[in-house]
Amino acid sequence: MTASTPAARLRSTTGHGRSPAWLLCLALLTFVIGTDDFVIAGVLGEIAADLRVTESAAGQLVTAFSLAYAAAAPLAAVATARLPRRAVMICGMPVFAALNALAALAPTYTALMVCRVLAAVTASMITPAAFATAAVLAPPGRAGRFMGTVATGLTLSLLAGVPLGTWLGGLSGWRSTMLFVAALALVTAAGLGLFMPALDKAPPLTLGRRLAPLASRPVLVSLAAMVPGAAGGLMTFVYIDPIAQALSGVTTYGLALLIAVIGVAGMAGAWLGGRGADRLGPERTIFLALAVQSAGTLTLTALAWLWPGRTPALLLALVLACWQIGGWAFNAPSQARLLRIAGPSGTEALALNTSAMYAGIAVAGSAGGLALAAGGAAGVLLAGSGFTLLGLAMFALACRR
């Protein structure tokens, strides 16, 4: 019998020893979107000075992007459910590029804010489609690691995309940073057009039938668990500067090295989480990842109490690496599990999962700020541990059925 579906045709021509070109294009897609999301933090000063606003107001561009993404993701998934994912991504990336180009030309803060919100809405349509496509086209038994490869684009954006965009902003102004992201988006669109295989159309289900699995208890609890799970993992990263200062008193150069270590560890975690989802199963990998993340933050909390200002930088780097591996290893298996239990609502479930993750980012920033004011670096780390353990308990509840 000959292979008839796109996935089957792809499996017959793609070996298991190397990543196909279309998968690398999907990783580049998440790299571009991750860079666009976080790079604003590196050029806040330039934006504030150019548009004559405070740095606090400029920082709200990051908040607006995250909130718009979180709010739009489930709506965008429903609106594009009947459209081919290939078309959504290939057409969405040029729109994303155009919005970043318009942001580079924005004459006022309000115009820039509108461009950022529209870019977030566009990104919310594209990212879930990328992860769902990776799972659909993966060879048997490799969906987790293919989704993990796509997730490495997000971690690589923190390691390479944000620093490069920040450097360009300092060299040529923040508008060059926006043009840099726009150019990357166009390259990604071209790569998807060249290498992405055709995909089967979505089944002709009514809206009610498509959304019905989202009302199941395991799906709802899993989505709710993502909020504390993400908050616990990201809180340490959001406040890494005061944490590193309190534990080791590192210099600016030392902090840059620690962030680089965190970025490399995040890429390793995304890769390990994908492989673990395939070999151990998503549930075991989720528990293992959150356990490692909890152990890392609890160890950092103990160091903040026992060796404040005297923790060796090498030890701090090792513990942070372990914590970050657990944090990013949690991503791929959680998405793989949602795709499995949500059935025809898989893409919508991934969109809601991303919304929950961005809600976790907001919780990490607000709750972490309160914890820092109340208990210093140790307070942040203790709060992060509490959120991670809560996420672990909620996932255990979700996996009981």
Side-chain angles (χ1 to χ4, degrees):
M1 179 180 295
T2 59
S4 57
T5 67
R9 290 196 299 270
L10 193 70
R11 290 163 191 158
S12 66
T13 58
T14 302
H16 288 194
R18 56 187 176 85
S19 297
W22 62 264
L23 182 60
L24 298 180
C25 289
L26 293 181
L28 180 59
L29 182 152
T30 58
F31 171 82
V32 174
I33 292 176
T35 299
D36 189 51
D37 187 3
F38 297 114
V39 77
I40 293 294
V43 291
L44 284 182
E46 289 86 350
I47 293 176
D50 185 30
L51 300 181
R52 298 180 182 180
V53 297
T54 65
E55 289 196 7
S56 176
Q60 299 312 304
L61 294 167
V62 179
T63 303
F65 188 102
S66 298
L67 292 178
Y69 191 119
L75 300 176
V78 172
T80 60
R82 300 290 299 273
L83 300 177
R85 295 189 186 114
R86 183 178 186 272
V88 169
M89 292 183 289
I90 293 176
C91 296
M93 289 307 290
V95 175
F96 188 75
L99 289 168
N100 276 276
L102 289 174
L105 301 174
T108 65
Y109 173 77
T110 301
L112 179 58
M113 177 67 78
V114 171
C115 290
R116 295 297 297 163
V117 169
L118 293 177
V121 172
T122 305
S124 72
M125 292 189 292
I126 300 170
T127 307
F131 280 101
T133 299
V136 168
L137 293 182
R142 293 169 64 88
R145 69 191 70 185
F146 271 47
M147 296 177 74
T149 299
V150 177
T152 59
L154 293 173
T155 58
L156 186 59
S157 70
L158 295 174
L159 181 63
V162 172
L164 182 55
T166 302
W167 175 76
L168 283 173
L171 184 67
S172 306
W174 67 271
R175 297 178 189 275
S176 66
T177 301
M178 298 292 96
L179 292 175
F180 165 66
V181 175
L184 284 178
L186 290 176
V187 170
T188 304
L192 291 171
L194 287 173
F195 300 112
M196 179 59 64
L199 300 172
D200 293 329
K201 293 183 178 180
L205 301 178
T206 63
L207 180 61
R209 288 188 60 192
R210 182 171 292 280
L211 298 182
L214 298 181
S216 70
R217 174 178 169 273
V219 172
L220 289 176
V221 178
S222 295
L223 292 171
M226 173 58 71
V227 177
L234 292 165
M235 192 176 294
T236 301
F237 181 79
V238 171
Y239 294 97
I240 187 61
D241 190 356
I243 289 172
Q245 291 289 343
L247 268 66
S248 295
V250 298
T251 63
T252 301
Y253 176 72
L255 179 61
L257 287 178
L258 282 178
I259 292 175
V261 168
I262 289 172
V264 173
M267 292 181 64
W271 182 79
L272 289 171
R275 293 184 68 85
D278 293 334
R279 293 194 174 187
L280 303 177
E283 289 82 4
R284 291 182 180 178
T285 306
I286 289 171
F287 295 145
L288 182 60
L290 290 177
V292 171
Q293 182 178 304
S294 299
T297 48
L298 288 172
T299 301
L300 289 170
T301 305
L303 293 175
W305 282 334
L306 299 175
W307 286 348
R310 296 180 291 113
T311 302
L314 179 59
L315 176 60
L316 177 60
L318 288 174
V319 178
L320 283 172
C322 292
W323 153 78
Q324 186 72 339
I325 286 173
W328 278 98
F330 162 65
N331 191 12
S334 66
Q335 298 197 67
R337 181 174 180 274
L338 275 177
L339 278 176
R340 187 185 70 196
I341 64 177
S345 304
T347 302
E348 290 83 353
L350 291 185
L352 287 169
N353 193 57
T354 306
S355 295
M357 184 181 71
Y358 273 90
I361 294 175
V363 171
S366 57
L370 294 174
L372 182 65
V380 175
L381 293 166
L382 188 60
S385 300
F387 275 110
T388 304
L389 291 172
L390 175 61
L392 181 60
M394 293 178 69
F395 269 110
L397 177 63
C399 293
R400 287 183 61 186
R401 296 182 182 179

